[in-house]
């Protein structure tokens, strides 16, 4: 529990109703979307303005109390679990669209704004904000920025970092900085905007963001390609890109995921397929027609068993909704669902999926794989039971080998979920000891007393790589 003098200062800043330390509030903010991780904070505070955030940070800095900023808690790497106690700062009151600038095609928003609500608002104005994380119906813009969220449209349009062009943030000493702005070019010093995007709340508290908007695509078409040959599906992905076609969406589902999604969404998918590709193209009508025809030709050339194009927007939406429901569908199978992510070069997708299957079989665990095939970002998802300690240990060992396999294939330990607590032991595998030292030096410069989201990203010691390379 916080000392009453500190709690009193926080209440004075935000008002008595916006600081909470009752048991219900502490438990509610002791976990996020990551299974099996929980740690009680000492208090929960809800600021309404940047000035309040600044004053809160100054109080916590003075008393060396950890601060964990968060939105809706959809994080999947334990990034908002208060592992060292302290105060959780919930940004939901700071949820306004401050401005949509039609002349500069930008929007300025607060971090607690719901992602889907923002996308819907700008689409109503005839504009487009492409980043679309799977959790967008619940997640917030601030959380997306903290994790540099991706999504189904990442292949063609990029991820959150490509649309954040300016930030307002509060540093660990309470000072307020502004980075970037409504500019398409700005090389004045280090790019602090890009540094803060994806920093997982360890360097500053983001209080405002300026986002780039683009014109919406005029039309789109959606298709399914079904394969009994996993390598055929993987070759299709590479050949589409090699043909200089960049689809808006290029998604992959393996056989176990197909079965679960079909049972959940009742699509009538063939259950004997090793893989399905869900492909969407958007843009000018003539270009879309040409690209979809060429993609269908590539799919058939790589021995797709069936290629079908959605008849209308309703059918296309149903297919995309089914893909977005993959995690929900898998979560029905067992009490605990662990959704991970790893990224490999597109040409290595089949190798990665086969490695995941082999690793899962060897450890006696169930892992289904789906993800963003177009950018090589796969989501191996374990269905398990947290009450079975032996099985959980085997799942953890399997994921360690999966991360090692991704790196061996030229990939990385995370493409969009972040490092947080879960991936911290593996970060050195990817960036090396020198990379860790550079990152720790940056952390020290921004947060010398380590009050901002402590215990995340940097493990006390890296996990030893013990997996042997296999031919």
């Amino acid at each position: 529990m916080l000392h009453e003098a500190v709690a009193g200062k926080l209440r004075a800043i935000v008002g008595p109703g916006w600081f909470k330390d009752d048991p219900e509030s502490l438990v509610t903010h002791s976990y996020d979307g990551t299974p099996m991780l929980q740690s009680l904070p000492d208090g929960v505070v809800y600021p309404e303005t940047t000035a309040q955030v600044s004053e809160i940070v100054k109080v916590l800095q003075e008393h060396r109390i950890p601060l964990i900023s968060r939105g809706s808690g959809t994080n999947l790497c334990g990034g908002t679990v208060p592992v060292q106690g302290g105060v959780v700062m919930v940004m939901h009151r700071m949820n306004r669209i401050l401005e949509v600038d039609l002349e500069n095609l930008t929007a300025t928003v607060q971090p607690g704004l719901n992602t889907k609500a923002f996308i819907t608002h700008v689409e109503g104005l005839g504009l487009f904000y492409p980043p679309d994380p799977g959790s967008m119906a619940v997640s917030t813009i601030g959380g997306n920025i903290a994790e540099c969220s991706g999504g189904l449209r990442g292949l063609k349009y990029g991820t959150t970092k490509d649309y954040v062009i300016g930030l307002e943030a509060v540093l660990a000493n309470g000072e307020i900085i502004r980075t970037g702005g409504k500019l398409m070019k700005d090389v004045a010093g280090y790019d602090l905007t890009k540094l803060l995007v994806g920093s997982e709340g360890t360097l500053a508290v983001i209080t405002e963001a300026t986002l780039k908007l683009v014109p919406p695509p005029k039309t789109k078409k959606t298709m399914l390609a079904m394969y009994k040959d996993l390598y055929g599906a993987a070759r299709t992905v590479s050949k589409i890109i090699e043909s200089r076609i960049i689809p808006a969406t290029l998604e992959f589902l393996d056989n176990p995921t197909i079965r679960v999604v079909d049972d959940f969404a009742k699509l009538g998918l063939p259950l004997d397929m090793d893989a399905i590709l869900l492909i969407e193209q958007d843009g000018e009508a003539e270009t879309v027609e040409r690209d979809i025809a060429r993609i269908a030709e590539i799919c058939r050339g790589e021995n797709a068993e069936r290629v079908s194009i959605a008849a209308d927007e309703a059918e296309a939406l149903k297919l995309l909704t089914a893909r977005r429901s993959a995690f929900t569908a898998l979560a029905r199978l067992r009490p605990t669902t662990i959704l991970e992510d790893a990224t490999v070069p597109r040409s290595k997708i089949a190798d990665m999926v086969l490695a995941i299957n082999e690793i899962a079989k060897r450890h006696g665990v169930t892992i289904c794989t789906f993800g963003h095939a177009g950018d090589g970002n796969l989501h191996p998802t374990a269905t398990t039971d947290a009450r079975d300690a032996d099985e959980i240990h085997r799942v953890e060992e399997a994921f360690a080998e999966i991360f090692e396999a991704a790196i061996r294939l030229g990939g990385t330990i995370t493409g969009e979920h972040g490092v947080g607590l879960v991936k911290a032991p593996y970060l050195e595998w990817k960036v090396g000891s020198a990379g860790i030292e550079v990152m720790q030096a940056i952390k020290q410069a921004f947060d010398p007393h380590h009050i901002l989201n402590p215990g995340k990203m940097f493990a006390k010691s890296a996990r030893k790589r013990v997996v042997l390379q296999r031919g």
Side-chain angles (χ1 to χ4, degrees):
M1 294 290 290
L2 293 179
H3 191 281
E4 184 52 40
V6 175
K9 289 180 181 179
L10 297 179
R11 288 191 184 95
I13 293 169
V14 295
W18 298 110
F19 172 80
K20 300 179 186 294
D21 57 4
D22 58 281
E24 292 82 1
S25 296
L26 300 186
V27 170
T28 301
H29 296 88
S30 65
Y31 58 90
D32 57 18
T34 317
M36 303 182 299
L37 291 177
Q38 187 171 19
S39 182
L40 285 174
D42 299 302
V44 183
V45 66
Y46 302 79
E48 188 178 22
T49 66
T50 300
Q52 288 183 359
V53 173
S54 175
E55 291 305 309
I56 291 166
V57 173
K58 288 176 182 176
V59 170
L60 299 182
Q61 171 83 331
E62 178 186 355
H63 296 276
R64 304 294 191 263
I65 295 170
L67 170 64
I68 302 88
S69 55
R70 66 171 268 169
S72 298
T74 59
N75 188 279
L76 291 169
C77 65
T80 55
V81 177
V83 290
Q84 295 183 18
V87 172
V88 171
M89 181 185 288
V90 183
M91 309 303 287
H92 282 169
R93 295 178 73 198
M94 298 178 67
N95 60 7
R96 292 186 297 138
I97 298 174
L98 301 175
E99 177 193 49
V100 176
D101 185 338
L102 298 179
E103 291 183 334
N104 288 300
L105 293 188
T106 64
T108 303
V109 305
Q110 293 182 309
L113 178 64
N114 175 266
T115 309
K116 188 173 182 179
F118 173 62
I119 290 173
T120 300
H121 179 79
V122 298
E123 285 180 351
L125 299 175
L127 295 169
F128 187 36
Y129 180 72
D132 62 336
S135 60
M136 68 177 183
V138 182
S139 68
T140 62
I141 294 293
N144 297 167
I145 293 171
E147 298 299 329
C148 189
S149 297
L152 274 67
R153 297 192 287 241
L155 168 62
K156 184 172 185 176
Y157 291 100
T159 61
T160 299
K161 69 178 183 294
D162 301 303
Y163 295 88
V164 180
I165 57 176
L167 291 171
E168 176 188 79
V170 176
L171 299 176
N173 61 5
E175 290 187 14
I176 301 167
I177 64 168
R178 285 186 172 272
T179 72
K182 298 178 184 180
L183 307 167
M184 294 302 106
K185 292 181 178 180
D186 182 3
V187 293
Y190 297 131
D191 192 341
L192 297 180
T193 304
K194 291 294 188 289
L195 179 60
L196 293 180
V197 175
S199 62
E200 304 186 24
T202 64
L203 301 181
V205 179
I206 293 166
T207 52
E208 189 178 297
T210 300
L211 307 174
K212 178 176 69 174
L213 305 176
V214 296
K218 292 184 178 179
T219 187
K220 58 186 174 183
K221 280 203 168 186
T222 306
M223 64 183 290
L224 280 181
M226 308 174 193
Y227 297 81
K228 289 186 177 178
D229 172 19
L230 184 64
Y231 274 96
R235 286 194 304 269
T236 298
V237 173
S238 296
K239 287 206 170 183
I240 290 171
I241 306 302
E242 187 181 335
S243 297
R244 309 296 191 267
I245 300 172
I246 307 298
T249 298
L250 181 45
E251 296 291 299
F252 168 90
L253 292 83
D254 72 355
N255 180 268
T257 310
I258 293 167
R259 291 175 174 271
V260 174
V261 167
D262 188 68
D263 181 64
F264 178 75
K266 310 300 181 188
L267 293 173
L269 298 174
L271 305 183
D272 59 342
M273 296 295 164
D274 278 356
I276 284 180
L277 295 179
L278 172 63
I279 307 165
E280 184 176 74
Q281 183 59 303
D282 63 12
E284 296 288 339
E286 183 180 342
T287 302
V288 170
E289 291 288 347
R290 184 183 66 242
D291 285 353
I292 286 292
R294 176 60 182 141
I295 291 171
E297 181 182 324
I298 293 170
C299 294
R300 295 188 182 101
E302 293 300 335
N303 300 318
E305 293 288 317
R306 189 186 310 173
V307 177
S308 61
I309 299 173
D312 51 34
E313 188 173 341
E315 184 179 347
L317 181 60
K318 187 176 181 181
L319 294 174
L320 288 167
T321 301
R323 160 58 186 89
R324 292 184 186 279
S325 70
F327 175 68
T328 304
L330 289 168
R332 301 163 68 218
L333 299 181
R334 299 285 302 279
T336 306
T337 307
I338 303 175
L339 173 64
E340 276 296 356
D341 81 318
T343 301
V344 295
R346 282 185 288 258
S347 61
K348 299 295 184 181
I349 288 173
D351 293 328
M352 188 64 198
V353 173
L354 291 175
I356 292 169
N357 293 344
E358 187 271 331
I359 290 167
K361 182 178 180 181
R362 182 153 39 80
H363 285 279
V365 296
T366 300
I367 298 180
C368 303
T369 303
F370 60 94
H372 317 305
D375 52 28
N377 185 203
L378 297 174
H379 294 306
T381 304
T383 54
T384 182
D385 189 337
R387 297 167 296 185
D388 187 334
D390 176 69
E391 183 174 85
I392 290 297
H393 175 71
R394 286 184 280 117
V395 167
E396 290 173 346
E397 291 301 305
F399 275 124
E401 292 191 23
I402 287 169
F403 302 146
E404 200 276 344
I407 292 173
R408 191 173 67 245
L409 292 169
T412 185
I413 60 172
T414 176
E416 58 187 7
H417 289 178
V419 176
L421 192 63
V422 173
K423 300 286 183 68
Y426 310 103
L427 182 60
E428 190 172 323
W429 292 8
K430 172 59 181 172
V431 303
S433 58
I436 291 289
E437 289 177 8
V438 170
M439 292 182 183
Q440 288 176 328
I442 293 170
K443 168 69 171 174
Q444 184 68 20
F446 271 82
D447 181 20
H449 300 294
H450 292 224
I451 70 163
L452 297 180
N453 208 7
K456 310 299 167 53
M457 199 170 301
F458 306 113
K460 291 182 179 178
S461 61
R463 179 164 177 150
K464 187 177 180 181
R465 292 178 71 173
V466 296
V467 180
L468 299 176
Q469 184 166 338
R470 295 173 174 83

